[in-house]
Amino acid sequence: MSRQIIINSGLREKRAAILENNNLDDVLFETDTYDQIVRNIYRGKVKDVLPGMQAAFIDIGIEKNSFLHISDIYPLLNKNQRNKWNSKELGIQHVLQPGQEIMVQLIKEPIGSKGPKATCKVTIPGRYFVYLPFENKIGISRRISNESERNRLRNIASDLVGSNDGVIVRTNAFHKEKEILENDYQFLTGLWSDINENYRSSRAPALVYKDVDLIKLIIRDYLSPEIDKIVIDDEEDYRELLKLTDRIVPELKNRIYYYDRPDPIFSTYGIEKELNKALKRKVWLNSGGYIIIDTTEALISIDVNTGKYIGKKNLQETVFKTNLEAAREIARQLRLRDIGGIIIIDFIDMDTKEHQDEVLRVFEEELARDRTKTALLGLTQLGLVEMTRKKVRDGLGELVQKECPYCQGTGRIISESTMALKVIREINKLALKEKFAAILIELHPDVAAVLIGSGGDKLTELEKKLDKDIYIRGNNELHLEDINIIKKGSKENLRRLALPVNEGEKYKIKIVDKHVNNPVDGIARIRGYIIIVNNGGNLVGEEVEVEINQVHRTFATARLL
């Protein structure tokens, strides 16, 4: 089986795709508009203790307080409290009080209106071990099935851990020398010492440890002898990958390649197309059947249909083959979309128990490859398959889409931040294929705002990276997903075209809105170009006469006459 990792290090985003036999199997994201906080460790302050829920809310310095259940506070207990814990006599109010400062690690991202979920049972993943500073136990990855190897690894781990800490031996440790495993353990215990020092020197709420970035995550969690190659399209990140690999797993260094072709790497490997499919409700199967994936507040429902597939023998054989293919595809879609929660699957009805058992067996086999914890609960009386998949963060759909303002929440569209990244990729693609010094683009104002950034800093960074002048017009008439490239050419020509006003000119304009950051000022537009009218915030809806003061790349300022 061929396994590859393809990394797109774009401007303001990084994306990593895991391919199996050239088919997209999983995808990882890192963008400057989404900060993943799972596995981060904080010095938090107890805000509220709720005895009725046996839970507390902890202020960790972000918008929403984290939720801490009594089942996750064991490391905080003293010997007497642990005896009461075992006899179920202990309540959370006996351990935590408002204002108390404690160490917590996040185990679930904020989802919807809910804040993140926290635990006091800290775990620190390394390449070969997951370090458990508060649990005296040794666990072995279930993917290591060889009994003699499991015993060898258990003996090595037993020699390393103390009387109060523990480890889980990861799959990467398979057949690794004792010295290499010892180095990983020493690194993790050293990291734990640093975390404790950061904790002691901080005051709540404070971040004391941030989990690794995408490039380091690939090395730590994904690079293994099973990976045939890693291909990355950014030279700086390529050198970083080589350096890290040479230090940690030098024998795999020759599997890392730099992609320097003009075509976007995700397009070359067919990944962009697959990601677009993963946002759609209907997923076609190779046979001609299809599955429908619907999300509700309570659960995810997945329906299997024969579609265009009519088979060659009889109806039951057609149904069986469609269900087998659907079982594999559903497991893949759960990983790709990072779907979590309660999942109900309506396979096509099968008359024979033999067919039912085989479909469930194949489905369970595919789910076993999932890094996220799943539980297959079997068939209901209605013939539906019930399962759960741990929900750690928002899925792919929630990450790159938002509730659609055009259809009042009945559908979904690409979000402004994702659309801004798509615009960057489009400009980058054009820059690789054509020669031009400047470009003028028209976008929905919300997308333009994300692309430009506060004070124009994001646009300045983009222009510097691409060595191009980029002019952006906002147009309320455009759909949020529209990109209108008006013109490409020389800097001088584009400047004359893109900037419709000059300093000292007078205009009659209508103020359409208040300035978001300074409501005293008003906003008007001339051919999509923003005019900030000083002291015009109370004149929304009125036509006024102004004189242009200053002209900038993305806006001009004016004074009322």
Side-chain angles (χ1 to χ4, degrees), residues 50-128:
L50 308 175
M53 293 176 62
Q54 290 289 53
F57 287 97
I58 315 297
D59 178 12
I60 58 171
I62 65 173
E63 183 181 356
K64 295 173 181 175
N65 292 333
S66 61
F67 177 84
L68 177 67
H69 189 259
I70 190 172
S71 59
D72 288 304
I73 67 169
Y74 191 77
L76 300 178
L77 309 182
N78 57 40
K79 186 176 181 181
N80 184 46
Q81 288 174 328
R82 290 186 180 185
N83 291 331
K84 290 183 178 180
W85 168 282
N86 293 331
S87 60
K88 309 288 185 185
E89 298 174 18
L90 193 74
I92 198 163
Q93 71 275 17
H94 300 127
V95 183
L96 298 178
Q97 294 80 39
Q100 184 178 344
E101 297 188 9
I102 59 173
M103 180 186 289
V104 293
Q105 183 175 40
L106 297 190
I107 54 175
K108 186 181 284 188
E109 298 274 353
I111 298 173
S113 60
K114 296 179 180 178
K117 187 176 180 183
T119 182
C120 297
K121 300 174 183 176
V122 172
T123 61
I124 308 172
R127 178 160 174 80
Y128 304 112

XYZ file of all heavy atoms in Angstrom, residues 50-128:
622
model
N -20.054 24.182 40.176
C -21.458 23.787 40.105
C -21.629 22.386 40.684
O -21.496 21.382 39.965
C -21.935 23.817 38.647
C -21.667 25.130 37.878
C -22.065 24.982 36.423
C -22.416 26.289 38.510
N -21.923 22.265 41.999
C -22.057 20.945 42.628
C -23.119 20.082 41.961
O -22.962 18.859 41.876
C -22.433 21.278 44.080
C -21.923 22.665 44.298
C -22.081 23.358 42.980
N -24.208 20.693 41.503
C -25.281 19.928 40.869
C -24.839 19.235 39.596
O -25.353 18.173 39.240
N -23.878 19.838 38.880
C -23.345 19.250 37.646
C -22.030 18.514 37.886
O -21.494 17.883 36.985
C -23.117 20.342 36.598
C -24.374 20.990 36.074
S -23.989 22.334 34.922
C -23.145 21.442 33.613
N -21.515 18.624 39.156
C -20.203 18.067 39.484
C -19.157 18.557 38.474
O -18.372 17.780 37.918
C -20.237 16.530 39.513
C -21.005 15.958 40.682
C -20.284 16.161 42.008
O -19.900 17.270 42.361
N -20.092 15.084 42.750
N -19.172 19.882 38.248
C -18.283 20.472 37.251
C -17.917 21.890 37.674
O -18.512 22.471 38.588
C -18.957 20.489 35.882
N -16.911 22.436 37.005
C -16.485 23.816 37.247
C -16.152 24.459 35.912
O -15.852 23.785 34.920
C -15.270 23.840 38.170
N -16.218 25.799 35.891
C -15.798 26.556 34.725
C -14.504 27.285 35.059
O -14.395 27.944 36.099
C -16.883 27.544 34.293
C -18.059 26.877 33.642
C -19.205 26.585 34.365
C -17.997 26.504 32.302
C -20.281 25.947 33.766
C -19.059 25.866 31.695
C -20.210 25.592 32.425
N -13.517 27.143 34.155
C -12.165 27.649 34.405
C -11.832 28.748 33.387
O -11.941 28.530 32.172
C -11.111 26.515 34.291
C -11.581 25.250 35.032
C -9.761 27.002 34.785
C -11.758 25.418 36.507
N -11.402 29.890 33.874
C -10.957 30.987 33.010
C -9.520 30.704 32.585
O -8.612 30.651 33.409
C -11.043 32.312 33.778
C -10.541 33.502 32.957
O -10.337 33.336 31.735
O -10.351 34.590 33.544
N -9.313 30.517 31.259
C -7.962 30.267 30.741
C -7.476 31.409 29.851
O -6.456 31.288 29.176
C -7.893 28.926 29.975
C -8.902 28.913 28.819
C -8.102 27.752 30.917
C -8.745 27.718 27.896
N -8.237 32.502 29.824
C -7.786 33.674 29.091
C -8.286 33.772 27.670
O -7.782 34.591 26.891
N -9.267 32.928 27.288
C -9.872 33.047 25.961
C -11.335 33.471 26.139
O -11.808 33.652 27.254
C -9.762 31.736 25.153
C -10.580 30.611 25.799
C -8.313 31.316 25.014
C -10.658 29.350 24.960
N -12.039 33.623 25.005
C -13.390 34.179 25.046
C -14.332 33.389 25.953
O -15.104 33.961 26.720
C -13.958 34.240 23.627
C -15.330 34.875 23.546
C -15.885 34.894 22.132
O -15.168 34.490 21.197
O -17.043 35.312 21.963
N -14.283 32.063 25.862
C -15.194 31.224 26.645
C -14.428 30.448 27.699
O -13.353 29.912 27.437
C -15.935 30.251 25.723
C -16.860 30.939 24.722
C -17.438 29.943 23.737
C -18.338 30.635 22.718
N -18.813 29.723 21.672
N -14.993 30.363 28.906
C -14.382 29.568 29.964
C -14.414 28.086 29.602
O -15.321 27.621 28.909
C -15.111 29.784 31.293
C -14.926 31.191 31.831
O -13.924 31.848 31.556
N -15.896 31.669 32.598
N -13.422 27.350 30.072
C -13.366 25.911 29.790
C -14.180 25.147 30.835
O -14.333 25.578 31.978
C -11.920 25.424 29.764
O -11.305 25.638 31.021
N -14.683 23.992 30.421
C -15.533 23.134 31.262
C -14.681 22.017 31.833
O -13.977 21.306 31.099
C -16.671 22.571 30.410
C -17.577 21.625 31.142
C -18.632 22.099 31.911
C -17.386 20.248 31.058
C -19.484 21.224 32.583
C -18.223 19.363 31.727
C -19.275 19.855 32.489
N -14.726 21.845 33.156
C -13.943 20.805 33.835
C -14.873 19.940 34.666
O -15.506 20.414 35.605
C -12.882 21.459 34.727
C -12.017 20.516 35.572
C -11.116 19.656 34.682
C -11.163 21.318 36.565
N -14.966 18.639 34.327
C -15.830 17.707 35.047
C -15.057 17.062 36.195
O -13.824 16.957 36.159
C -16.352 16.623 34.094
C -17.422 15.762 34.701
N -17.151 14.499 35.188
C -18.738 15.998 34.933
C -18.272 13.980 35.671
N -19.246 14.867 35.535
N -15.777 16.620 37.195
C -15.145 16.009 38.375
C -14.300 14.791 38.014
O -13.291 14.502 38.658
C -16.211 15.623 39.436
C -15.525 15.234 40.746
C -17.140 14.526 38.916
C -16.478 15.033 41.909
N -14.668 14.090 36.939
C -13.903 12.899 36.530
C -12.498 13.252 36.053
O -11.661 12.363 35.893
C -14.652 12.153 35.419
O -14.847 12.988 34.300
N -12.237 14.555 35.815
C -10.939 14.976 35.287
C -10.078 15.719 36.301
O -9.089 16.356 35.932
C -11.147 15.870 34.058
C -11.636 15.095 32.852
O -10.945 14.140 32.470
O -12.698 15.436 32.310
N -10.423 15.660 37.603
C -9.668 16.438 38.594
C -8.782 15.574 39.488
O -8.177 16.084 40.429
C -10.619 17.283 39.482
C -11.486 16.367 40.367
C -11.472 18.219 38.646
C -12.248 17.121 41.448
N -8.676 14.281 39.221
C -7.965 13.357 40.111
C -6.560 13.823 40.514
O -6.175 13.705 41.678
C -7.889 11.970 39.473
C -7.406 10.887 40.411
C -8.247 10.347 41.381
C -6.096 10.423 40.345
C -7.791 9.361 42.252
C -5.637 9.438 41.202
C -6.489 8.915 42.159
O -6.042 7.948 43.028
N -5.735 14.392 39.575
C -4.387 14.825 39.975
C -4.363 15.908 41.051
O -3.333 16.123 41.698
C -3.784 15.356 38.663
C -4.521 14.624 37.593
C -5.923 14.491 38.111
N -5.495 16.601 41.268
C -5.542 17.667 42.278
C -5.766 17.126 43.691
O -5.593 17.850 44.667
C -6.667 18.656 41.948
C -6.588 19.396 40.611
C -7.809 20.294 40.454
C -5.315 20.233 40.525
N -6.148 15.862 43.808
C -6.576 15.331 45.108
C -5.393 14.939 45.995
O -4.390 14.409 45.517
C -7.467 14.103 44.899
C -8.648 14.240 43.929
C -9.443 12.943 43.897
C -9.536 15.405 44.310
N -5.543 15.194 47.298
C -4.558 14.675 48.257
C -4.948 13.246 48.645
O -5.970 12.727 48.197
C -4.459 15.584 49.493
C -5.803 15.754 50.191
O -6.578 14.801 50.310
N -6.085 16.971 50.668
N -4.134 12.609 49.500
C -4.357 11.197 49.832
C -5.733 10.972 50.451
O -6.450 10.026 50.100
C -3.260 10.722 50.778
C -3.320 9.230 51.078
C -2.153 8.789 51.938
C -2.219 7.290 52.213
N -1.088 6.843 53.070
N -6.134 11.842 51.378
C -7.427 11.705 52.047
C -8.573 11.866 51.047
O -9.555 11.120 51.077
C -7.546 12.749 53.167
C -8.835 12.588 53.952
O -9.200 11.472 54.327
N -9.530 13.689 54.194
N -8.433 12.834 50.157
C -9.469 13.057 49.151
C -9.564 11.883 48.183
O -10.654 11.542 47.722
C -9.175 14.352 48.386
C -9.428 15.614 49.201
C -8.979 16.867 48.466
O -8.016 16.843 47.708
N -9.693 17.963 48.690
N -8.432 11.237 47.892
C -8.460 10.105 46.962
C -9.202 8.920 47.576
O -9.852 8.154 46.862
C -7.036 9.725 46.553
C -6.406 10.782 45.657
C -5.058 10.415 45.099
N -4.563 11.506 44.261
C -3.454 11.456 43.545
N -2.706 10.359 43.553
N -3.083 12.490 42.809
N -9.100 8.752 48.878
C -9.871 7.693 49.551
C -11.369 7.971 49.444
O -12.173 7.066 49.191
C -9.458 7.586 51.016
C -8.047 7.042 51.180
O -7.585 6.281 50.333
N -7.365 7.427 52.260
N -11.742 9.235 49.629
C -13.155 9.604 49.504
C -13.628 9.501 48.052
O -14.773 9.159 47.792
C -13.359 11.043 50.009
C -13.207 11.201 51.507
C -13.495 12.635 51.951
C -13.383 12.766 53.465
N -13.664 14.148 53.899
N -12.700 9.794 47.127
C -13.012 9.680 45.685
C -13.396 8.237 45.361
O -14.395 7.973 44.690
C -11.785 10.111 44.881
C -11.807 9.801 43.409
C -11.576 8.604 42.813
C -12.067 10.720 42.345
N -11.666 8.705 41.453
C -11.958 9.993 41.136
C -12.360 12.070 42.293
C -12.136 10.595 39.889
C -12.538 12.663 41.045
C -12.430 11.929 39.870
N -12.589 7.297 45.866
C -12.834 5.882 45.580
C -14.149 5.400 46.178
O -14.786 4.487 45.650
C -11.674 5.042 46.102
C -10.390 5.318 45.341
O -10.435 5.672 44.167
N -9.247 5.162 45.997
N -14.573 6.014 47.284
C -15.829 5.602 47.920
C -17.008 6.490 47.501
O -18.080 6.425 48.116
C -15.674 5.648 49.445
O -15.363 6.968 49.870
N -16.780 7.326 46.478
C -17.841 8.189 45.904
C -18.380 9.218 46.902
O -19.502 9.683 46.790
C -19.026 7.339 45.395
C -18.658 6.198 44.467
C -18.237 6.666 43.108
C -18.002 5.487 42.172
N -17.473 5.867 40.882
N -17.580 9.567 47.932
C -18.034 10.528 48.941
C -17.626 11.965 48.599
O -18.000 12.905 49.283
C -17.435 10.167 50.312
C -17.864 8.805 50.834
C -17.122 8.444 52.115
O -16.575 9.367 52.742
O -17.107 7.254 52.474
N -16.822 12.119 47.548
C -16.229 13.421 47.249
C -17.033 14.158 46.179
O -17.397 13.592 45.150
C -14.789 13.211 46.748
C -13.912 14.451 46.681
C -13.486 14.865 48.080
C -12.683 14.172 45.829
N -17.320 15.426 46.427
C -17.952 16.280 45.432
C -16.954 17.313 44.935
O -15.947 17.599 45.598
N -17.210 17.906 43.774
C -16.241 18.857 43.208
C -16.067 20.081 44.085
O -14.998 20.711 44.104
C -16.660 19.250 41.766
C -15.472 19.852 41.011
C -17.851 20.206 41.783
C -15.633 19.893 39.525
N -17.115 20.420 44.868
C -17.035 21.584 45.760
C -16.052 21.366 46.914
O -15.627 22.321 47.569
C -18.427 21.950 46.307
C -19.007 20.982 47.317
C -19.732 19.803 46.662
O -19.542 19.533 45.485
N -20.572 19.130 47.431
N -15.673 20.091 47.154
C -14.703 19.788 48.205
C -13.265 19.990 47.725
O -12.331 19.967 48.545
C -14.864 18.344 48.692
C -16.212 18.047 49.255
N -16.984 16.986 48.815
C -16.959 18.700 50.188
C -18.131 16.988 49.479
N -18.137 18.021 50.305
N -13.091 20.138 46.428
C -11.740 20.235 45.849
C -11.461 21.625 45.275
O -10.359 22.157 45.424
C -11.556 19.174 44.731
C -10.139 19.219 44.166
C -11.887 17.783 45.257
N -12.462 22.212 44.616
C -12.266 23.490 43.925
C -13.108 24.604 44.541
O -14.262 24.375 44.937
C -12.630 23.351 42.443
C -11.798 22.365 41.610
C -12.319 22.310 40.189
C -10.323 22.749 41.621
N -12.537 25.793 44.593
C -13.258 26.978 45.052
C -13.000 28.115 44.068
O -11.916 28.193 43.480
C -12.787 27.415 46.458
C -13.105 26.441 47.581
C -12.118 25.295 47.640
O -10.924 25.494 47.441
N -12.624 24.080 47.904
N -13.971 29.020 43.878
C -13.767 30.163 42.981
C -12.518 30.951 43.367
O -12.251 31.180 44.551
C -15.041 30.991 43.172
C -16.075 29.981 43.567
C -15.352 28.990 44.415
N -11.730 31.316 42.355
C -10.494 32.063 42.579
C -9.263 31.182 42.644
O -8.130 31.663 42.504
N -9.444 29.879 42.837
C -8.315 28.946 42.910
C -7.642 28.825 41.548
O -8.288 28.804 40.509
C -8.839 27.579 43.370
C -7.769 26.521 43.580
C -8.385 25.222 44.093
O -9.525 25.203 44.559
N -7.633 24.139 43.999
N -6.300 28.736 41.537
C -5.547 28.597 40.293
C -5.058 27.159 40.137
O -4.488 26.591 41.075
C -4.375 29.582 40.252
C -4.839 31.036 40.266
C -3.717 32.035 40.034
O -2.598 31.605 39.689
O -3.964 33.244 40.187
N -5.294 26.589 38.957
C -4.944 25.188 38.716
C -4.389 25.021 37.307
O -4.608 25.856 36.427
C -6.168 24.252 38.886
C -7.290 24.642 37.909
C -6.657 24.256 40.319
C -8.450 23.674 37.893
N -3.663 23.910 37.091
C -3.160 23.571 35.758
C -4.193 22.712 35.041
O -4.657 21.704 35.578
C -1.838 22.808 35.837
C -1.275 22.429 34.466
S 0.205 21.370 34.551
C 1.426 22.525 35.163
N -4.556 23.116 33.814
C -5.485 22.328 33.000
C -4.953 22.211 31.583
O -4.212 23.069 31.101
C -6.903 22.954 32.964
C -7.565 22.901 34.315
C -6.875 24.368 32.413
N -5.341 21.124 30.926
C -5.026 20.916 29.514
C -6.333 20.775 28.756
O -7.270 20.109 29.226
C -4.179 19.650 29.336
C -3.751 19.403 27.884
C -2.814 18.207 27.766
O -3.004 17.183 28.432
N -1.791 18.324 26.950
N -6.400 21.374 27.566
C -7.636 21.303 26.784
C -7.683 20.003 25.997
O -6.713 19.608 25.351
C -7.744 22.497 25.836
C -7.832 23.864 26.518
C -8.168 24.937 25.500
C -8.859 23.870 27.637
N -8.837 19.333 26.055
C -9.016 18.064 25.344
C -10.096 18.158 24.276
O -10.315 17.212 23.533
C -9.341 16.917 26.319
C -10.548 17.253 27.200
C -8.136 16.585 27.171
C -10.991 16.123 28.105
N -10.788 19.299 24.223
C -11.807 19.502 23.194
C -11.884 20.989 22.868
O -11.893 21.829 23.756
C -13.177 18.988 23.657
C -14.252 19.043 22.579
C -15.597 18.544 23.097
C -15.643 17.038 23.223
N -17.010 16.553 23.530
N -11.909 21.299 21.561
C -11.995 22.690 21.106
C -13.377 23.270 21.437
O -14.345 22.523 21.632
C -11.793 22.759 19.583
C -10.446 22.267 19.094
C -9.379 23.333 19.125
O -9.701 24.501 19.403
O -8.215 22.985 18.868
N -13.507 24.620 21.477
C -14.848 25.212 21.553
C -15.654 24.789 20.334
O -15.146 24.836 19.213
C -14.574 26.719 21.533
C -13.135 26.877 21.870
C -12.449 25.640 21.405
N -16.877 24.353 20.547
C -17.733 23.908 19.438
C -19.070 24.616 19.554
O -19.772 24.475 20.557
C -17.931 22.379 19.461
C -16.579 21.664 19.290
C -18.899 21.939 18.363
C -16.646 20.162 19.477
N -19.413 25.401 18.532
C -20.668 26.143 18.560
C -20.683 27.106 19.735
O -19.765 27.895 19.939
N -21.737 27.020 20.558
C -21.873 27.913 21.710
C -21.144 27.382 22.944
O -21.074 28.062 23.963
C -23.361 28.110 22.043
O -23.960 26.857 22.362
N -20.593 26.175 22.854
C -19.927 25.565 24.006
C -18.457 25.960 24.058
O -17.779 26.026 23.035
C -20.039 24.037 23.947
C -21.466 23.512 24.043
C -21.487 21.997 23.954
C -22.908 21.452 24.038
N -22.941 19.977 23.904
N -17.973 26.178 25.266
C -16.561 26.461 25.455
C -15.736 25.191 25.352
O -16.272 24.085 25.208
N -14.403 25.302 25.466
C -13.543 24.117 25.382
C -13.697 23.231 26.619
O -14.127 23.691 27.675
C -12.134 24.713 25.302
C -12.256 26.042 25.968
C -13.636 26.538 25.664
N -13.338 21.968 26.475
C -13.357 21.037 27.610
C -11.930 20.842 28.105
O -10.993 20.703 27.311
C -13.963 19.690 27.197
C -14.171 18.752 28.380
C -14.853 17.464 27.958
C -15.061 16.544 29.164
N -15.656 15.250 28.786
N -11.770 20.825 29.427
C -10.434 20.741 30.019
C -10.315 19.517 30.914
O -11.300 18.903 31.318
C -10.140 22.005 30.828
N -9.064 19.170 31.214
C -8.770 18.091 32.156
C -7.546 18.472 32.967
O -6.707 19.262 32.512
C -8.518 16.759 31.434
O -8.292 15.732 32.395
C -7.319 16.835 30.505
N -7.432 17.910 34.170
C -6.202 18.050 34.958
C -5.258 16.877 34.708
O -4.120 16.863 35.193
C -6.534 18.144 36.444
S -7.511 19.597 36.882
N -5.732 15.865 33.956
C -4.911 14.696 33.631
C -4.056 15.020 32.403
O -4.373 14.626 31.279
C -5.802 13.485 33.357
C -6.678 13.082 34.536
C -7.635 11.969 34.123
C -8.583 11.591 35.239
N -9.572 10.576 34.810
N -2.971 15.730 32.624
C -2.111 16.202 31.536
C -1.451 15.028 30.821
O -0.994 14.067 31.456
C -1.040 17.164 32.087
C -0.011 17.517 31.023
C -1.706 18.426 32.626
N -1.412 15.089 29.488
C -0.665 14.129 28.674
C 0.184 14.912 27.684
O -0.267 15.901 27.126
C -1.601 13.179 27.897
O -2.423 13.944 26.998
C -2.489 12.389 28.828
N 1.430 14.472 27.491
C 2.349 15.179 26.584
C 2.854 14.187 25.540
O 3.643 13.295 25.849
C 3.536 15.786 27.347
C 3.032 16.634 28.514
C 4.394 16.629 26.414
C 4.118 17.112 29.426
N 2.396 14.306 24.285
C 2.829 13.362 23.259
C 4.228 13.652 22.746
O 4.602 14.802 22.512
C 1.782 13.559 22.142
C 1.261 14.938 22.339
C 1.380 15.243 23.793
N 5.023 12.595 22.606
C 6.309 12.659 21.928
C 6.235 11.793 20.684
O 5.150 11.388 20.271
N 7.375 11.489 20.106
C 7.347 10.650 18.897
C 7.103 9.182 19.230
O 6.400 8.483 18.514
C 8.650 10.805 18.118
C 8.696 9.912 16.886
C 9.686 10.350 15.862
N 9.766 9.360 14.795
C 8.907 9.252 13.801
N 7.902 10.085 13.705
N 9.054 8.321 12.873
N 7.662 8.716 20.346
C 7.552 7.294 20.684
C 6.719 7.029 21.945
O 6.261 5.905 22.147
C 8.951 6.695 20.862
C 9.816 6.897 19.648
C 10.930 7.741 19.678
C 9.506 6.276 18.442
C 11.721 7.930 18.552
C 10.286 6.464 17.313
C 11.389 7.296 17.368
O 12.143 7.504 16.243
